[in-house]
Amino acid sequence: MAKLVLNEEERMLADSARAFLDDAAPVKHLRELRDAGRTHDPALWKAMAEMGWAGILVPESAGGADMGHAAAGLLAGEMGKTLVASPFLSSAVIAATALRQVSDRRAADALAGIASGEVTYALAIDEGPKFAPEATRMEARREGNGFRLTGRKTFVVDGGFADRLLVLARTGEGLTLFDIPADRAGVSREGRAMIDSRDAARIDFDAVEATGEDVLGQVDDAMRVLRPALEAGQAALAAELSGLAAGAFGMTVGYLKERKQFGVLIGQFQALQHRAADLWCQTEVTASAILHAGRKLDEDPENATLAVSLAKARATETAKAAVIEGVQMHGGIGMTDAFDMGFYMKRARVGAEWLGDYGWHAEQVARLRGF
Amino acid sequence: MGGDMAAETEDPAGFRAELREWLEANCPESLRDANGPEDSICWGGKRWVFESEDQKLWLERCVTRGLTVPTWPKEYGGAGYSREQEKVFHQEMARINARWPLQSFGIWMLGPALLHFGTPEQKAHFLPPISRGEIRWCQGYSEPGAGSDLASVQTRCEDKGDHWLVNGQKIWTSYADQADWIFALVRTDREAKKHLGITFLLLDMTSPGVTTRPIKLISGASPFCETFFDNVEVPKEHAPGISSVVGTVNRGWDVAKYLLTHERTMISATGSGARSLGAVLSEEMGGITDASLRAAAVKAEVDALAIGLTLERYKDMAESGQGVGDASAMLKYVGTELNKDRHELMMATGGSEALEWDGPHGTRPADWLRTKANSIEGGTSEVMLGIVSRRVLGLPG
């Protein structure tokens, strides 16, 4: 397997991403969106697409950059550092990976749409408060040559503005993944006000018509397409959380070096030093799991489940620790809305739940390690 | 890292195939027990008593191929392996569950120090006997008054023209009672600032005036000793052109710091290649019914896998020229704390059966108690966190 260090190309990608995002999407950008009552910035996504990020996992034949999952993780990590709101995970990672599992004309066209930034996707999978794709109950009843989808999906991330939806539904024998436009008759979506100020929708399907054309992959065999897409999304989300932890931690260490109390810098207190040092150790350990998951998805995707769940489990816990300590070590100012740490804390909580929380992924590790 | 996560690398030159064949043909059946107790691995040295003909044979065979120190240059008894080849070697050893042919502080610590700081003459003199398991070394660092604060060593070393005169006491000297030689930090300048008056000295444990006394630990074992130097005369040159000082007189701290980095990385690796806790748990408890025990074990497993990958990543970084430096303190800290957690869990799964010294779980209670030293030896966890906070994070002292 490729080394667990960044190569020249990867380093350049991360550096250029950081330079662009510091300018175009610092945390202030998310704050401005929130204050304006918006969850998404199409102009920002367009600029990202022009740099090739929307097509990071799209084949070159469909206009993508095809740089792989480790590279996608680097971008997600840089986005995480400044809490960049974009459909990168939903469209460029999850939907693109799902569509790549299918080799027909329609999938190729859809991938081209993603790469250009013109088409955005959202994954409609959750129905209850916890991630449990296998327990999907929403029904796609056969009718003539097609299906009728009826039911409700919750926590559809980026579902409030996405052009298309990947919808998981039960079809008699098993689960089937549908790829339908979000404005199809019978689809009604309601954006929810989320704690992280980003987009997520509740979507009702009222006898929505779907044809065989709308099925991604095979009927009753959603997981063949969905599992790789979920794992890609989980790995990239883990990378985002790892970046988020690094961003929050950087602010905290900076504060320890400038804040004075009792006549000394608070960073001189050993109680705080050791907690900060422990946190740094945790972020380093998690960073290894993140890079490894990206490499594994690129080189041995059939056997990446353990690596991906390890990354998501670790990243969830590390991000949580980083934001809790971030607020605590900043003291009073950490509690205020005017200060950015709260944004990190809220996004960390959303990222913890999305695509499986710590318990869900730890359970995968347990299963694969013989528990 | 567990076997199911380590991908086999490509093998264009047939390196793996050839090595596999050699190991299959040469590793005695009775030594394919890598999961056995730690002390079943040969330590070498003049006093070593082989437990079996096979153990002796395995060492000799590995020596002929440089496999006791695979990454050392061939001229010093190594195999000259690259890091990639070393990885393959480890995977192939694990594949047949082969016991390590030789372990020693010479391999882990003095060797790397000599390779980095030694003169060509010192390397040629001291390294080959280490690679062959002929000379067993111990490390003389800590003193009763210099534990976490290692740089305040007081063992006095006076220049007497053709020899050094050493007086003082070391403590926590691992296996000093069984070692042939010692590498020690001694004070050669009492006026200089404490980091600057230290010298890294090599001396023969059979020199008149050297005595050792084992220290019995809570585990019942005595891996550590007190070592006393009473007017010990150490020649300036052990043989013509072979200085008894590594590096420069009064600059031994540079060597010590370099070595501590190695030691930390090594201690942190303890237990990272161990079986999954889940496998142990399900064997012993028929699947776990105690939810809190299981949850703790799963968390330890998650952390163990991630820490294993971190060791891997830092080795890759070192190989691509990015220094590990002070981050070794991180590796030591997370590795040893995890190892303590693992052994707590092993004791809990063993239940009352693991409370007997020689019960159904063998050395488990002794191993558990031994791990408590992991986060103390080579620098305590608190010292490691101090290093990270000051040198990595740049927090004010």
Side-chain angles (χ1 to χ4, degrees):
Chain A
M1 192 158 76
K3 286 183 187 306
L4 294 178
V5 282
L6 301 187
N7 61 37
E8 193 54 36
E9 193 185 9
E10 291 169 331
R11 244 198 316 275
M12 278 171 57
L13 178 71
D15 288 347
S16 66
R18 188 70 267 139
F20 169 77
L21 293 171
D22 277 342
D23 182 49
V27 184
K28 190 160 82 64
H29 181 255
L30 176 67
R31 180 184 291 277
E32 285 165 358
L33 284 178
R34 182 199 65 172
D35 292 346
R38 295 164 60 206
T39 59
H40 171 53
D41 178 4
L44 178 63
W45 183 236
K46 185 161 178 286
M48 290 180 176
E50 276 163 12
M51 287 188 298
W53 296 5
I56 190 95
L57 293 175
V58 172
E60 288 177 12
S61 58
D66 202 11
M67 289 182 72
H69 295 277
L74 288 178
L75 291 181
E78 294 305 327
M79 292 182 208
K81 283 180 190 164
T82 47
L83 307 176
V84 178
S86 88
F88 180 73
L89 262 64
S90 298
S91 292
V93 176
I94 298 172
T97 305
L99 287 159
R100 279 193 85 151
Q101 310 305 314
V102 180
S103 48
D104 59 21
R105 185 70 236 163
R106 199 183 58 85
D109 290 346
L111 281 165
I114 288 176
S116 71
E118 279 158 28
V119 180
T120 56
Y121 269 86
L123 179 66
I125 178 167
D126 287 5
E127 296 175 2
K130 284 291 181 183
F131 178 71
E134 309 275 0
T136 293
R137 287 164 54 198
M138 186 169 131
E139 205 185 351
R141 189 157 11 105
R142 279 193 181 276
E143 196 178 280
N145 285 334
F147 302 87
R148 290 271 184 185
L149 280 66
T150 301
R152 168 176 285 182
K153 292 290 183 183
T154 59
F155 192 29
V156 182
V157 173
D158 299 328
F161 65 82
D163 303 304
R164 298 188 68 88
L165 302 171
L166 294 180
V167 187
L168 185 63
R170 194 158 287 287
T171 40
E173 294 302 302
L175 296 170
T176 300
L177 193 63
F178 294 89
D179 175 357
I180 60 170
D183 58 2
R184 185 166 286 181
V187 175
S188 53
R189 42 187 180 167
E190 184 190 343
R192 310 297 296 175
M194 303 297 286
I195 56 171
D196 66 345
S197 308
R198 300 203 14 197
D199 195 274
R202 186 163 72 199
I203 306 187
D204 284 303
F205 297 79
D206 181 13
V208 175
E209 219 175 307
T211 67
E213 281 280 282
D214 297 324
V215 172
L216 199 59
Q218 302 296 318
V219 174
D220 291 339
D221 192 18
M223 284 303 161
R224 198 187 60 76
V225 171
L226 188 58
R227 188 189 53 82
L230 286 174
E231 288 181 357
Q234 287 155 345
L237 179 55
E240 184 197 318
L241 287 168
S242 177
L244 180 155
F249 182 68
M251 289 168 68
T252 305
V253 169
Y255 192 66
L256 294 180
K257 291 178 186 175
E258 65 178 41
R259 170 71 171 169
K260 278 192 167 180
Q261 287 287 273
F262 306 103
V264 295
L265 292 167
I266 61 172
Q268 284 175 266
F269 296 130
Q270 198 178 48
L272 296 183
Q273 287 184 345
H274 282 195
R275 277 160 54 189
D278 176 75
L279 198 48
W280 181 78
C281 293
Q282 299 311 321
T283 59
E284 277 296 293
V285 171
T286 296
S288 314
I290 302 296
L291 184 54
H292 176 252
R295 295 267 186 262
K296 195 81 182 168
L297 283 169
D298 285 332
E299 295 171 33
D300 189 15
E302 294 300 313
N303 301 299
T305 307
L306 176 60
V308 168
S309 279
L310 178 66
K312 179 65 164 66
R314 280 286 317 186
T316 297
E317 291 300 275
T318 302
K320 180 168 84 174
V323 296
I324 289 174
E325 289 288 50
V327 169
Q328 180 67 22
M329 291 195 197
H330 277 88
I333 193 175
M335 292 296 302
T336 63
D337 181 72
F339 190 64
D340 287 341
M341 190 59 75
F343 283 86
Y344 284 86
M345 178 168 271
K346 289 176 265 194
R347 177 61 186 169
R349 186 81 271 285
V350 172
E353 286 298 327
W354 191 23
L355 303 176
D357 66 1
Y358 171 81
W360 194 89
H361 287 285
E363 208 43 53
Q364 295 273 92
V365 173
R367 180 174 62 76
L368 292 164
R369 291 288 289 174
F371 277 70
Chain B
M1 188 89 262
D4 49 351
M5 291 195 82
E8 286 195 0
T9 39
E10 285 173 33
D11 190 25
F15 175 81
R16 181 190 296 275
E18 195 277 335
L19 183 61
R20 179 176 294 188
E21 195 179 326
W22 188 87
L23 289 172
E24 277 292 4
N26 287 280
C27 182
E29 278 302 324
S30 71
L31 275 91
R32 301 189 185 195
D33 63 343
N35 297 333
E38 198 184 325
D39 59 9
S40 63
I41 300 174
C42 175
W43 281 92
K46 292 176 183 162
R47 284 175 245 190
W48 182 257
V49 181
F50 289 98
E51 62 165 35
S52 65
E53 268 306 303
D54 277 353
Q55 191 186 39
K56 184 158 176 272
L57 194 63
W58 179 223
L59 173 62
E60 288 168 357
R61 285 173 174 171
C62 286
V63 165
T64 61
R65 290 200 42 135
L67 294 181
T68 55
V69 284
T71 59
W72 290 12
K74 284 185 176 165
E75 54 184 316
Y76 303 132
Y81 281 180
S82 68
R83 164 119 166 78
E84 210 49 53
Q85 289 172 320
E86 185 196 21
K87 246 195 234 177
V88 172
F89 171 59
H90 285 198
Q91 288 167 0
E92 291 303 313
M93 287 283 282
R95 201 183 67 83
I96 60 167
N97 205 29
R99 197 193 293 183
W100 226 242
L102 181 67
Q103 61 183 349
S104 76
F105 291 94
I107 293 175
W108 296 322
M109 308 191 67
L110 182 61
L114 284 174
L115 286 169
H116 197 267
F117 293 95
T119 63
E121 293 78 14
Q122 283 177 319
K123 291 180 197 175
H125 183 79
F126 290 113
L127 293 176
I130 293 174
S131 75
R132 295 192 293 262
E134 291 165 3
I135 298 292
R136 181 170 178 178
W137 287 82
C138 65
Q139 177 201 49
Y141 273 24
S142 298
E143 296 178 6
S148 289
D149 182 14
L150 184 60
S152 59
V153 288
Q154 294 303 325
T155 293
R156 181 194 289 251
C157 179
E158 294 164 275
D159 190 340
K160 296 289 182 186
D162 66 335
H163 69 273
W164 301 101
L165 186 68
V166 181
N167 277 286
Q169 180 191 349
K170 292 289 172 184
I171 194 168
W172 311 125
T173 330
S174 303
Y175 301 113
D177 55 335
Q178 292 162 58
D180 304 307
W181 280 66
I182 185 168
F183 50 96
L185 295 181
V186 293
R187 187 155 297 281
T188 34
D189 185 345
R190 309 186 78 78
E191 308 303 319
K193 280 203 203 155
K194 68 178 184 179
H195 290 88
L196 293 178
I198 296 171
T199 296
F200 194 97
L201 189 68
L202 309 177
L203 67 119
D204 189 332
M205 289 293 278
T206 60
S207 310
V210 179
T211 50
T212 61
R213 192 162 68 200
I215 303 168
K216 190 172 176 182
L217 298 185
I218 53 177
S219 63
S222 305
F224 299 114
C225 293
E226 291 177 287
T227 303
F228 303 90
F229 304 104
D230 182 17
N231 284 321
V232 177
E233 293 184 13
V234 180
K236 289 273 178 76
E237 291 191 345
H238 288 302
I242 313 295
S243 173
S244 53
V245 170
V246 179
T248 312
V249 173
N250 287 332
R251 297 306 302 261
W253 187 248
D254 297 344
V255 186
K257 261 197 330 195
Y258 177 80
L259 261 189
L260 279 168
T261 307
H262 266 270
E263 183 182 15
R264 282 167 197 154
T265 314
M266 184 187 95
I267 294 174
S268 74
T270 315
S272 69
R275 291 168 72 208
S276 101
L277 268 177
V280 174
L281 290 176
S282 48
E283 230 167 69
E284 287 180 16
M285 297 178 64
I288 306 304
T289 51
D290 179 330
S292 69
L293 178 56
R294 185 178 184 281
V298 173
K299 183 178 184 306
E301 191 70 21
V302 166
D303 292 345
L305 292 172
I307 289 168
L309 288 169
T310 305
L311 283 172
E312 198 65 16
R313 179 163 73 91
Y314 270 83
K315 283 184 198 162
D316 284 348
M317 280 165 62
E319 192 170 67
S320 59
Q322 303 173 36
V324 172
D326 296 320
S328 66
M330 176 270 293
L331 299 175
K332 204 254 169 189
Y333 167 64
V334 298
T336 56
E337 293 297 330
L338 170 75
N339 207 34
K340 288 198 296 185
D341 286 349
R342 282 183 65 95
H343 283 264
E344 285 294 337
L345 289 160
M346 302 273 280
M347 286 300 284
T349 57
S352 63
E353 290 180 346
L355 304 179
E356 300 174 27
W357 285 117
D358 292 306
H361 296 294
T363 59
R364 189 176 297 187
D367 295 344
W368 160 67
L369 291 162
R370 177 65 184 85
T371 63
K372 301 308 177 197
N374 292 164
S375 52
I376 298 169
E377 59 199 334
T380 64
S381 285
E382 291 71 23
V383 168
M384 297 304 108
L385 290 173
I387 289 171
V388 169
S389 70
R390 279 190 305 282
R391 302 216 200 113
V392 180
L393 303 180
L395 290 173

